[in-house]
Amino acid sequence: TTTLKAISNLLRAERGDVTKGTIEFMGLRVDQRTPNELVRMGVCQVMEGRHCFQPLTVEENLLTGAFTRSGAETRDGLERVYTYFPRLKQRRSSLSGYTSGGEQQMTAIGRALMSRPKMILLDEPSMGLAPQLVEEIFEIVKGLNVKEKVSFLLAEQNTNIALKYAGYGYIL
């Protein structure tokens, strides 16, 4: 979690700081950029705990991830998310706070996808979810990696599931 927050520059919000070295993405130094600039560069973080805006609908949550996109790109992004997460299309008018944990996790990942990222920092996506749902989410993540060429940097305590779907794995 700390490593992902350092990359996305959210560590400072917790009074932390990177004191040695630099963090680069696609050859550009990112450790001095704002989280907003990182999203525009293609780096997006999905936080641990399925952070959804609970009073907003599923679709409104997804749309918050499209703040860097135009109208046509936003419509295309929604269709893309609904292709990968058909359950969200069924639940699009439901308040996020009243959806299941798995649906909230799908919403959080879908919101990140709306920004058309090159890399998603995914923190503990299996936390608190049923094993069958974890498998479904990891299958979708793998599909996004293979079909859409979205890279994922994953922090996950369930090493068996993480290594099953990872191209590379580093255990700390």
Side-chain angles (χ1 to χ4, degrees):
T1 298
T2 302
T3 300
L4 297 184
K5 285 182 180 178
I7 295 167
S8 64
N9 281 329
L10 296 175
L11 191 58
R12 283 196 184 102
E14 296 179 359
R15 297 187 179 178
D17 205 3
V18 176
T19 58
K20 291 188 180 188
T22 61
I23 300 171
E24 295 183 10
F25 176 70
M26 297 184 67
L28 299 173
R29 189 169 174 179
V30 298
D31 52 304
Q32 299 299 315
R33 297 183 187 258
T34 66
N36 181 30
E37 290 173 310
L38 289 174
V39 170
R40 291 181 191 281
M41 289 176 66
V43 179
C44 195
Q45 182 164 357
V46 176
M47 305 281 283
E48 173 185 334
R50 306 179 289 277
H51 291 274
C52 292
F53 301 109
Q54 294 188 3
L56 299 181
T57 66
V58 167
E59 190 160 293
E60 289 167 339
N61 265 276
L62 295 174
L63 291 172
T64 65
F67 74 95
T68 62
R69 301 291 165 213
S70 69
E73 290 174 314
T74 300
R75 284 187 299 279
D76 292 345
L78 275 176
E79 285 311 310
R80 180 175 168 230
V81 169
Y82 291 147
T83 298
Y84 282 99
F85 300 105
R87 190 177 309 176
L88 294 184
K89 189 170 189 174
Q90 297 168 352
R91 301 287 306 224
R92 67 178 170 232
S93 60
S94 300
L95 293 179
S96 292
Y98 293 108
T99 60
S100 71
E103 290 164 343
Q104 288 179 21
Q105 185 66 33
M106 291 175 190
T107 300
I109 295 169
R111 184 177 57 227
L113 285 175
M114 291 295 291
S115 70
R116 298 289 295 176
K118 296 176 182 105
M119 180 169 66
I120 295 177
L121 310 172
L122 189 54
D123 195 3
E124 298 286 350
S126 73
M127 184 183 292
L129 300 181
Q132 182 179 356
L133 198 49
V134 170
E135 194 84 31
E136 180 182 343
I137 288 173
F138 271 84
E139 285 286 340
I140 293 167
V141 165
K142 181 69 172 183
L144 287 164
N145 176 251
V146 171
K147 295 175 193 167
E148 305 279 339
K149 304 297 183 219
V150 176
S151 295
F152 286 84
L153 182 55
L154 172 73
E156 176 61 62
Q157 289 188 27
N158 184 340
T159 55
N160 289 331
I161 193 86
L163 293 174
K164 177 179 176 182
Y165 288 95
Y168 300 94
Y170 300 91
I171 298 176
L172 302 176

